[in-house]
Amino acid sequence: MQLNLRYDMNSPSFGAPHPELYRTAIEQAAWADKLGFTQVFLAEHHGAEDGYCPSSMVQAASIFAVTQKIYVHLSALVVTMHDPLRLAEDLAVLDNISNGRIWLTAGMGYRPHEFEMFGKDITKRLGLMNKALDTLKQAWSGQPFEYDGRTVRVTPPGVQPGGPKIYMGGSTDKSAIRAAKGGYQYFPGHPALWDLYAEERAKLGFPPPEPQVKSIASFLYITDDPERDWPRVAPHVAYATNTYAEWAKERGGGDTLYKAAETVEALKAMPNIKVLTPDQCFEWLKTQPANAGINFHALLGGLDPELSWASLLRFENEVLPRLIDAKMVDLNL
């Protein structure tokens, strides 16, 4: 099993303030790095009502400053919102800052107001994404290339051969087929899309993709008293769940793990939301596949950093040693 952190930095009026959330994410990433976590996922959206992170590359740089081994995975990086040449430069610098620890999942974007904000035509988003990805490939070759009728060159070269690893993200059948045809690794918005992607990739003669890491929970919280802590975390989880469910309607298709919830009982019924004791967590993890990704969305919905840390430290002290003894985790040490 793989251990990961995830942050989107969105926080409602009742959530923690953004300066506190960003500082806590840095501190938690340093903690995860020492324990051998594999990666930190950083999300990106623009012009969101409650401060969703619009600059995940800057946040990545802050995390690289305090870590040595953990990867930062920009997931998803909405490449259609960025100037392709500047994107290639920024990612190449991050590759150097981190000594090759930056990955990205390229997202096309689906929220109309984001395209309006940056003066982009949402009906041309596929072409915008293809141009961005083609530019990254050429830019990271280190050689001059033709761009919009000009000869340009992006420096410095990245640390990873050919530049940072690119996954293609998506939540529809079309995205899975597109990733297969392009020969990209794939990071599906919903696990069921993986089978379609792998089948299409094989038909086209590409080698087998990287083994899939299956996220087994959108939110996992470890506590000595679930009944005490459910009311504490529920408003934040419900806010995030309802927000993502509402945003998903703007896609016009696809699927999402997030569903609307109005009560604590509705949250408890969701299979991807877990508030567990250490014993319950260990027993549950024993039932999960070996390729599972344990993703701690540690500050989801502006969760109080003190509550967030309580869960992470309980996992470190009361669950992780048992996982190590049972040889159930893959630590990046």
PDB file of all heavy atoms in Angstrom, residues 182-212:
ATOM      1  N   GLY A 182      -2.648   8.610 -26.735  1.00  0.00           N
ATOM      2  CA  GLY A 182      -1.464   9.449 -26.626  1.00  0.00           C
ATOM      3  C   GLY A 182      -0.281   8.762 -25.987  1.00  0.00           C
ATOM      4  O   GLY A 182       0.805   9.337 -25.917  1.00  0.00           O
ATOM      5  N   GLY A 183      -0.494   7.545 -25.470  1.00  0.00           N
ATOM      6  CA  GLY A 183       0.583   6.821 -24.813  1.00  0.00           C
ATOM      7  C   GLY A 183       0.912   7.342 -23.432  1.00  0.00           C
ATOM      8  O   GLY A 183       1.978   7.052 -22.887  1.00  0.00           O
ATOM      9  N   TYR A 184      -0.016   8.113 -22.842  1.00  0.00           N
ATOM     10  CA  TYR A 184       0.215   8.679 -21.516  1.00  0.00           C
ATOM     11  C   TYR A 184      -0.166   7.680 -20.425  1.00  0.00           C
ATOM     12  O   TYR A 184      -0.999   6.788 -20.628  1.00  0.00           O
ATOM     13  CB  TYR A 184      -0.615   9.952 -21.311  1.00  0.00           C
ATOM     14  CG  TYR A 184      -0.151  11.126 -22.126  1.00  0.00           C
ATOM     15  CD1 TYR A 184      -0.784  11.482 -23.306  1.00  0.00           C
ATOM     16  CD2 TYR A 184       0.922  11.897 -21.697  1.00  0.00           C
ATOM     17  CE1 TYR A 184      -0.365  12.576 -24.053  1.00  0.00           C
ATOM     18  CE2 TYR A 184       1.354  12.993 -22.433  1.00  0.00           C
ATOM     19  CZ  TYR A 184       0.711  13.318 -23.606  1.00  0.00           C
ATOM     20  OH  TYR A 184       1.138  14.395 -24.341  1.00  0.00           O
ATOM     21  N   GLN A 185       0.429   7.859 -19.261  1.00  0.00           N
ATOM     22  CA  GLN A 185      -0.119   7.217 -18.082  1.00  0.00           C
ATOM     23  C   GLN A 185      -1.448   7.908 -17.775  1.00  0.00           C
ATOM     24  O   GLN A 185      -1.682   9.030 -18.212  1.00  0.00           O
ATOM     25  CB  GLN A 185       0.856   7.323 -16.907  1.00  0.00           C
ATOM     26  CG  GLN A 185       2.206   6.668 -17.157  1.00  0.00           C
ATOM     27  CD  GLN A 185       2.113   5.172 -17.411  1.00  0.00           C
ATOM     28  OE1 GLN A 185       1.261   4.486 -16.847  1.00  0.00           O
ATOM     29  NE2 GLN A 185       2.987   4.662 -18.267  1.00  0.00           N
ATOM     30  N   TYR A 186      -2.288   7.243 -17.004  1.00  0.00           N
ATOM     31  CA  TYR A 186      -3.647   7.760 -16.807  1.00  0.00           C
ATOM     32  C   TYR A 186      -3.974   7.816 -15.331  1.00  0.00           C
ATOM     33  O   TYR A 186      -3.627   6.914 -14.562  1.00  0.00           O
ATOM     34  CB  TYR A 186      -4.642   6.853 -17.537  1.00  0.00           C
ATOM     35  CG  TYR A 186      -6.081   7.339 -17.542  1.00  0.00           C
ATOM     36  CD1 TYR A 186      -6.413   8.634 -17.902  1.00  0.00           C
ATOM     37  CD2 TYR A 186      -7.116   6.464 -17.210  1.00  0.00           C
ATOM     38  CE1 TYR A 186      -7.731   9.057 -17.920  1.00  0.00           C
ATOM     39  CE2 TYR A 186      -8.438   6.875 -17.238  1.00  0.00           C
ATOM     40  CZ  TYR A 186      -8.746   8.179 -17.592  1.00  0.00           C
ATOM     41  OH  TYR A 186     -10.049   8.590 -17.619  1.00  0.00           O
ATOM     42  N   PHE A 187      -4.635   8.905 -14.949  1.00  0.00           N
ATOM     43  CA  PHE A 187      -5.076   9.079 -13.568  1.00  0.00           C
ATOM     44  C   PHE A 187      -6.573   9.354 -13.602  1.00  0.00           C
ATOM     45  O   PHE A 187      -7.010  10.489 -13.724  1.00  0.00           O
ATOM     46  CB  PHE A 187      -4.321  10.233 -12.902  1.00  0.00           C
ATOM     47  CG  PHE A 187      -4.234  10.117 -11.412  1.00  0.00           C
ATOM     48  CD1 PHE A 187      -3.244   9.365 -10.812  1.00  0.00           C
ATOM     49  CD2 PHE A 187      -5.149  10.755 -10.609  1.00  0.00           C
ATOM     50  CE1 PHE A 187      -3.166   9.251  -9.436  1.00  0.00           C
ATOM     51  CE2 PHE A 187      -5.090  10.655  -9.226  1.00  0.00           C
ATOM     52  CZ  PHE A 187      -4.090   9.899  -8.643  1.00  0.00           C
ATOM     53  N   PRO A 188      -7.395   8.309 -13.531  1.00  0.00           N
ATOM     54  CA  PRO A 188      -8.838   8.485 -13.727  1.00  0.00           C
ATOM     55  C   PRO A 188      -9.509   9.165 -12.546  1.00  0.00           C
ATOM     56  O   PRO A 188      -9.148   8.955 -11.386  1.00  0.00           O
ATOM     57  CB  PRO A 188      -9.341   7.048 -13.882  1.00  0.00           C
ATOM     58  CG  PRO A 188      -8.354   6.216 -13.127  1.00  0.00           C
ATOM     59  CD  PRO A 188      -7.024   6.903 -13.301  1.00  0.00           C
ATOM     60  N   GLY A 189     -10.514   9.973 -12.873  1.00  0.00           N
ATOM     61  CA  GLY A 189     -11.326  10.577 -11.825  1.00  0.00           C
ATOM     62  C   GLY A 189     -12.202   9.560 -11.130  1.00  0.00           C
ATOM     63  O   GLY A 189     -12.697   9.797 -10.030  1.00  0.00           O
ATOM     64  N   HIS A 190     -12.395   8.413 -11.780  1.00  0.00           N
ATOM     65  CA  HIS A 190     -13.177   7.330 -11.198  1.00  0.00           C
ATOM     66  C   HIS A 190     -12.492   6.009 -11.549  1.00  0.00           C
ATOM     67  O   HIS A 190     -12.115   5.799 -12.709  1.00  0.00           O
ATOM     68  CB  HIS A 190     -14.614   7.349 -11.718  1.00  0.00           C
ATOM     69  CG  HIS A 190     -15.544   6.458 -10.955  1.00  0.00           C
ATOM     70  ND1 HIS A 190     -15.669   5.112 -11.222  1.00  0.00           N
ATOM     71  CD2 HIS A 190     -16.366   6.710  -9.921  1.00  0.00           C
ATOM     72  CE1 HIS A 190     -16.539   4.582 -10.393  1.00  0.00           C
ATOM     73  NE2 HIS A 190     -16.976   5.534  -9.593  1.00  0.00           N
ATOM     74  N   PRO A 191     -12.288   5.107 -10.586  1.00  0.00           N
ATOM     75  CA  PRO A 191     -11.502   3.895 -10.836  1.00  0.00           C
ATOM     76  C   PRO A 191     -11.999   3.029 -11.986  1.00  0.00           C
ATOM     77  O   PRO A 191     -11.211   2.339 -12.639  1.00  0.00           O
ATOM     78  CB  PRO A 191     -11.603   3.143  -9.500  1.00  0.00           C
ATOM     79  CG  PRO A 191     -11.862   4.195  -8.482  1.00  0.00           C
ATOM     80  CD  PRO A 191     -12.709   5.224  -9.174  1.00  0.00           C
ATOM     81  N   ALA A 192     -13.290   3.031 -12.272  1.00  0.00           N
ATOM     82  CA  ALA A 192     -13.831   2.154 -13.311  1.00  0.00           C
ATOM     83  C   ALA A 192     -13.270   2.492 -14.694  1.00  0.00           C
ATOM     84  O   ALA A 192     -13.293   1.647 -15.603  1.00  0.00           O
ATOM     85  CB  ALA A 192     -15.348   2.243 -13.329  1.00  0.00           C
ATOM     86  N   LEU A 193     -12.767   3.703 -14.872  1.00  0.00           N
ATOM     87  CA  LEU A 193     -12.241   4.100 -16.167  1.00  0.00           C
ATOM     88  C   LEU A 193     -10.906   3.433 -16.486  1.00  0.00           C
ATOM     89  O   LEU A 193     -10.489   3.390 -17.649  1.00  0.00           O
ATOM     90  CB  LEU A 193     -12.066   5.617 -16.215  1.00  0.00           C
ATOM     91  CG  LEU A 193     -13.348   6.447 -16.129  1.00  0.00           C
ATOM     92  CD1 LEU A 193     -13.010   7.917 -15.949  1.00  0.00           C
ATOM     93  CD2 LEU A 193     -14.190   6.246 -17.376  1.00  0.00           C
ATOM     94  N   TRP A 194     -10.244   2.901 -15.466  1.00  0.00           N
ATOM     95  CA  TRP A 194      -8.918   2.311 -15.675  1.00  0.00           C
ATOM     96  C   TRP A 194      -8.975   1.123 -16.628  1.00  0.00           C
ATOM     97  O   TRP A 194      -8.109   0.973 -17.497  1.00  0.00           O
ATOM     98  CB  TRP A 194      -8.316   1.889 -14.343  1.00  0.00           C
ATOM     99  CG  TRP A 194      -6.975   1.234 -14.504  1.00  0.00           C
ATOM    100  CD1 TRP A 194      -6.691  -0.096 -14.611  1.00  0.00           C
ATOM    101  CD2 TRP A 194      -5.715   1.907 -14.604  1.00  0.00           C
ATOM    102  NE1 TRP A 194      -5.345  -0.297 -14.764  1.00  0.00           N
ATOM    103  CE2 TRP A 194      -4.724   0.915 -14.759  1.00  0.00           C
ATOM    104  CE3 TRP A 194      -5.336   3.249 -14.569  1.00  0.00           C
ATOM    105  CZ2 TRP A 194      -3.369   1.228 -14.871  1.00  0.00           C
ATOM    106  CZ3 TRP A 194      -3.986   3.560 -14.682  1.00  0.00           C
ATOM    107  CH2 TRP A 194      -3.022   2.553 -14.840  1.00  0.00           C
ATOM    108  N   ASP A 195      -9.969   0.275 -16.495  1.00  0.00           N
ATOM    109  CA  ASP A 195     -10.057  -0.915 -17.342  1.00  0.00           C
ATOM    110  C   ASP A 195     -10.190  -0.528 -18.809  1.00  0.00           C
ATOM    111  O   ASP A 195      -9.551  -1.136 -19.682  1.00  0.00           O
ATOM    112  CB  ASP A 195     -11.238  -1.788 -16.914  1.00  0.00           C
ATOM    113  CG  ASP A 195     -11.027  -2.402 -15.535  1.00  0.00           C
ATOM    114  OD1 ASP A 195      -9.863  -2.507 -15.110  1.00  0.00           O
ATOM    115  OD2 ASP A 195     -12.030  -2.775 -14.892  1.00  0.00           O
ATOM    116  N   LEU A 196     -11.016   0.467 -19.099  1.00  0.00           N
ATOM    117  CA  LEU A 196     -11.177   0.935 -20.475  1.00  0.00           C
ATOM    118  C   LEU A 196      -9.855   1.458 -21.011  1.00  0.00           C
ATOM    119  O   LEU A 196      -9.458   1.153 -22.148  1.00  0.00           O
ATOM    120  CB  LEU A 196     -12.244   2.019 -20.539  1.00  0.00           C
ATOM    121  CG  LEU A 196     -12.438   2.719 -21.884  1.00  0.00           C
ATOM    122  CD1 LEU A 196     -12.851   1.721 -22.953  1.00  0.00           C
ATOM    123  CD2 LEU A 196     -13.470   3.838 -21.761  1.00  0.00           C
ATOM    124  N   TYR A 197      -9.155   2.232 -20.209  1.00  0.00           N
ATOM    125  CA  TYR A 197      -7.855   2.784 -20.606  1.00  0.00           C
ATOM    126  C   TYR A 197      -6.857   1.672 -20.922  1.00  0.00           C
ATOM    127  O   TYR A 197      -6.194   1.686 -21.972  1.00  0.00           O
ATOM    128  CB  TYR A 197      -7.332   3.685 -19.481  1.00  0.00           C
ATOM    129  CG  TYR A 197      -5.848   3.926 -19.506  1.00  0.00           C
ATOM    130  CD1 TYR A 197      -5.268   4.736 -20.477  1.00  0.00           C
ATOM    131  CD2 TYR A 197      -5.024   3.362 -18.537  1.00  0.00           C
ATOM    132  CE1 TYR A 197      -3.896   4.974 -20.489  1.00  0.00           C
ATOM    133  CE2 TYR A 197      -3.657   3.594 -18.539  1.00  0.00           C
ATOM    134  CZ  TYR A 197      -3.094   4.398 -19.513  1.00  0.00           C
ATOM    135  OH  TYR A 197      -1.737   4.620 -19.522  1.00  0.00           O
ATOM    136  N   ALA A 198      -6.752   0.701 -20.031  1.00  0.00           N
ATOM    137  CA  ALA A 198      -5.784  -0.386 -20.228  1.00  0.00           C
ATOM    138  C   ALA A 198      -6.111  -1.204 -21.476  1.00  0.00           C
ATOM    139  O   ALA A 198      -5.214  -1.605 -22.226  1.00  0.00           O
ATOM    140  CB  ALA A 198      -5.747  -1.277 -18.989  1.00  0.00           C
ATOM    141  N   GLU A 199      -7.396  -1.443 -21.715  1.00  0.00           N
ATOM    142  CA  GLU A 199      -7.808  -2.201 -22.901  1.00  0.00           C
ATOM    143  C   GLU A 199      -7.447  -1.450 -24.181  1.00  0.00           C
ATOM    144  O   GLU A 199      -6.906  -2.032 -25.132  1.00  0.00           O
ATOM    145  CB  GLU A 199      -9.312  -2.461 -22.855  1.00  0.00           C
ATOM    146  CG  GLU A 199      -9.745  -3.452 -21.783  1.00  0.00           C
ATOM    147  CD  GLU A 199     -11.251  -3.495 -21.621  1.00  0.00           C
ATOM    148  OE1 GLU A 199     -11.948  -2.852 -22.437  1.00  0.00           O
ATOM    149  OE2 GLU A 199     -11.730  -4.152 -20.672  1.00  0.00           O
ATOM    150  N   GLU A 200      -7.743  -0.150 -24.218  1.00  0.00           N
ATOM    151  CA  GLU A 200      -7.438   0.648 -25.396  1.00  0.00           C
ATOM    152  C   GLU A 200      -5.944   0.748 -25.632  1.00  0.00           C
ATOM    153  O   GLU A 200      -5.463   0.689 -26.772  1.00  0.00           O
ATOM    154  CB  GLU A 200      -8.043   2.054 -25.257  1.00  0.00           C
ATOM    155  CG  GLU A 200      -9.555   2.095 -25.328  1.00  0.00           C
ATOM    156  CD  GLU A 200     -10.072   1.686 -26.703  1.00  0.00           C
ATOM    157  OE1 GLU A 200      -9.448   2.071 -27.717  1.00  0.00           O
ATOM    158  OE2 GLU A 200     -11.093   0.981 -26.757  1.00  0.00           O
ATOM    159  N   ARG A 201      -5.195   0.879 -24.578  1.00  0.00           N
ATOM    160  CA  ARG A 201      -3.732   0.980 -24.689  1.00  0.00           C
ATOM    161  C   ARG A 201      -3.158  -0.304 -25.284  1.00  0.00           C
ATOM    162  O   ARG A 201      -2.271  -0.259 -26.147  1.00  0.00           O
ATOM    163  CB  ARG A 201      -3.152   1.268 -23.308  1.00  0.00           C
ATOM    164  CG  ARG A 201      -1.662   1.560 -23.294  1.00  0.00           C
ATOM    165  CD  ARG A 201      -1.205   1.864 -21.876  1.00  0.00           C
ATOM    166  NE  ARG A 201       0.243   1.874 -21.782  1.00  0.00           N
ATOM    167  CZ  ARG A 201       0.996   2.970 -21.797  1.00  0.00           C
ATOM    168  NH1 ARG A 201       0.420   4.151 -21.882  1.00  0.00           N
ATOM    169  NH2 ARG A 201       2.314   2.896 -21.706  1.00  0.00           N
ATOM    170  N   ALA A 202      -3.664  -1.445 -24.839  1.00  0.00           N
ATOM    171  CA  ALA A 202      -3.185  -2.725 -25.360  1.00  0.00           C
ATOM    172  C   ALA A 202      -3.525  -2.879 -26.842  1.00  0.00           C
ATOM    173  O   ALA A 202      -2.706  -3.365 -27.632  1.00  0.00           O
ATOM    174  CB  ALA A 202      -3.792  -3.870 -24.552  1.00  0.00           C
ATOM    175  N   LYS A 203      -4.732  -2.457 -27.223  1.00  0.00           N
ATOM    176  CA  LYS A 203      -5.138  -2.544 -28.634  1.00  0.00           C
ATOM    177  C   LYS A 203      -4.193  -1.752 -29.539  1.00  0.00           C
ATOM    178  O   LYS A 203      -3.957  -2.138 -30.690  1.00  0.00           O
ATOM    179  CB  LYS A 203      -6.561  -1.998 -28.807  1.00  0.00           C
ATOM    180  CG  LYS A 203      -7.658  -2.878 -28.233  1.00  0.00           C
ATOM    181  CD  LYS A 203      -9.018  -2.194 -28.434  1.00  0.00           C
ATOM    182  CE  LYS A 203     -10.131  -2.955 -27.756  1.00  0.00           C
ATOM    183  NZ  LYS A 203     -11.429  -2.239 -27.889  1.00  0.00           N
ATOM    184  N   LEU A 204      -3.674  -0.647 -29.017  1.00  0.00           N
ATOM    185  CA  LEU A 204      -2.825   0.233 -29.810  1.00  0.00           C
ATOM    186  C   LEU A 204      -1.361  -0.175 -29.798  1.00  0.00           C
ATOM    187  O   LEU A 204      -0.524   0.471 -30.429  1.00  0.00           O
ATOM    188  CB  LEU A 204      -2.972   1.675 -29.306  1.00  0.00           C
ATOM    189  CG  LEU A 204      -4.363   2.289 -29.511  1.00  0.00           C
ATOM    190  CD1 LEU A 204      -4.532   3.531 -28.645  1.00  0.00           C
ATOM    191  CD2 LEU A 204      -4.564   2.639 -30.983  1.00  0.00           C
ATOM    192  N   GLY A 205      -1.037  -1.236 -29.073  1.00  0.00           N
ATOM    193  CA  GLY A 205       0.317  -1.766 -29.079  1.00  0.00           C
ATOM    194  C   GLY A 205       1.289  -1.119 -28.123  1.00  0.00           C
ATOM    195  O   GLY A 205       2.500  -1.369 -28.203  1.00  0.00           O
ATOM    196  N   PHE A 206       0.779  -0.293 -27.190  1.00  0.00           N
ATOM    197  CA  PHE A 206       1.657   0.301 -26.189  1.00  0.00           C
ATOM    198  C   PHE A 206       1.992  -0.731 -25.114  1.00  0.00           C
ATOM    199  O   PHE A 206       1.206  -1.654 -24.853  1.00  0.00           O
ATOM    200  CB  PHE A 206       0.989   1.509 -25.543  1.00  0.00           C
ATOM    201  CG  PHE A 206       0.917   2.722 -26.423  1.00  0.00           C
ATOM    202  CD1 PHE A 206      -0.289   3.116 -26.998  1.00  0.00           C
ATOM    203  CD2 PHE A 206       2.050   3.475 -26.684  1.00  0.00           C
ATOM    204  CE1 PHE A 206      -0.361   4.230 -27.814  1.00  0.00           C
ATOM    205  CE2 PHE A 206       1.988   4.607 -27.495  1.00  0.00           C
ATOM    206  CZ  PHE A 206       0.781   4.974 -28.060  1.00  0.00           C
ATOM    207  N   PRO A 207       3.137  -0.595 -24.454  1.00  0.00           N
ATOM    208  CA  PRO A 207       3.445  -1.502 -23.347  1.00  0.00           C
ATOM    209  C   PRO A 207       2.452  -1.320 -22.209  1.00  0.00           C
ATOM    210  O   PRO A 207       1.766  -0.288 -22.133  1.00  0.00           O
ATOM    211  CB  PRO A 207       4.859  -1.084 -22.932  1.00  0.00           C
ATOM    212  CG  PRO A 207       5.014   0.319 -23.427  1.00  0.00           C
ATOM    213  CD  PRO A 207       4.207   0.397 -24.686  1.00  0.00           C
ATOM    214  N   PRO A 208       2.352  -2.279 -21.318  1.00  0.00           N
ATOM    215  CA  PRO A 208       1.412  -2.147 -20.204  1.00  0.00           C
ATOM    216  C   PRO A 208       1.679  -0.872 -19.403  1.00  0.00           C
ATOM    217  O   PRO A 208       2.835  -0.458 -19.253  1.00  0.00           O
ATOM    218  CB  PRO A 208       1.693  -3.390 -19.352  1.00  0.00           C
ATOM    219  CG  PRO A 208       2.283  -4.365 -20.310  1.00  0.00           C
ATOM    220  CD  PRO A 208       3.076  -3.556 -21.288  1.00  0.00           C
ATOM    221  N   PRO A 209       0.637  -0.225 -18.919  1.00  0.00           N
ATOM    222  CA  PRO A 209       0.833   1.000 -18.130  1.00  0.00           C
ATOM    223  C   PRO A 209       1.419   0.680 -16.763  1.00  0.00           C
ATOM    224  O   PRO A 209       1.513  -0.488 -16.359  1.00  0.00           O
ATOM    225  CB  PRO A 209      -0.589   1.552 -17.996  1.00  0.00           C
ATOM    226  CG  PRO A 209      -1.463   0.342 -18.060  1.00  0.00           C
ATOM    227  CD  PRO A 209      -0.785  -0.599 -19.028  1.00  0.00           C
ATOM    228  N   GLU A 210       1.820   1.731 -16.069  1.00  0.00           N
ATOM    229  CA  GLU A 210       2.238   1.557 -14.678  1.00  0.00           C
ATOM    230  C   GLU A 210       1.113   0.887 -13.896  1.00  0.00           C
ATOM    231  O   GLU A 210      -0.062   1.095 -14.196  1.00  0.00           O
ATOM    232  CB  GLU A 210       2.519   2.911 -14.027  1.00  0.00           C
ATOM    233  CG  GLU A 210       3.704   3.643 -14.568  1.00  0.00           C
ATOM    234  CD  GLU A 210       3.895   4.967 -13.857  1.00  0.00           C
ATOM    235  OE1 GLU A 210       3.080   5.285 -12.957  1.00  0.00           O
ATOM    236  OE2 GLU A 210       4.837   5.687 -14.213  1.00  0.00           O
ATOM    237  N   PRO A 211       1.449   0.097 -12.882  1.00  0.00           N
ATOM    238  CA  PRO A 211       0.381  -0.482 -12.055  1.00  0.00           C
ATOM    239  C   PRO A 211      -0.507   0.602 -11.469  1.00  0.00           C
ATOM    240  O   PRO A 211      -0.020   1.658 -11.037  1.00  0.00           O
ATOM    241  CB  PRO A 211       1.145  -1.225 -10.953  1.00  0.00           C
ATOM    242  CG  PRO A 211       2.494  -1.487 -11.542  1.00  0.00           C
ATOM    243  CD  PRO A 211       2.782  -0.324 -12.434  1.00  0.00           C
ATOM    244  N   GLN A 212      -1.777   0.363 -11.487  1.00  0.00           N
ATOM    245  CA  GLN A 212      -2.715   1.342 -10.951  1.00  0.00           C
ATOM    246  C   GLN A 212      -2.652   1.374  -9.433  1.00  0.00           C
ATOM    247  O   GLN A 212      -2.573   0.331  -8.777  1.00  0.00           O
ATOM    248  CB  GLN A 212      -4.141   1.008 -11.377  1.00  0.00           C
ATOM    249  CG  GLN A 212      -5.176   2.029 -10.916  1.00  0.00           C
ATOM    250  CD  GLN A 212      -6.595   1.581 -11.190  1.00  0.00           C
ATOM    251  OE1 GLN A 212      -6.846   0.399 -11.390  1.00  0.00           O
ATOM    252  NE2 GLN A 212      -7.521   2.515 -11.207  1.00  0.00           N
TER     253      GLN A 212
END
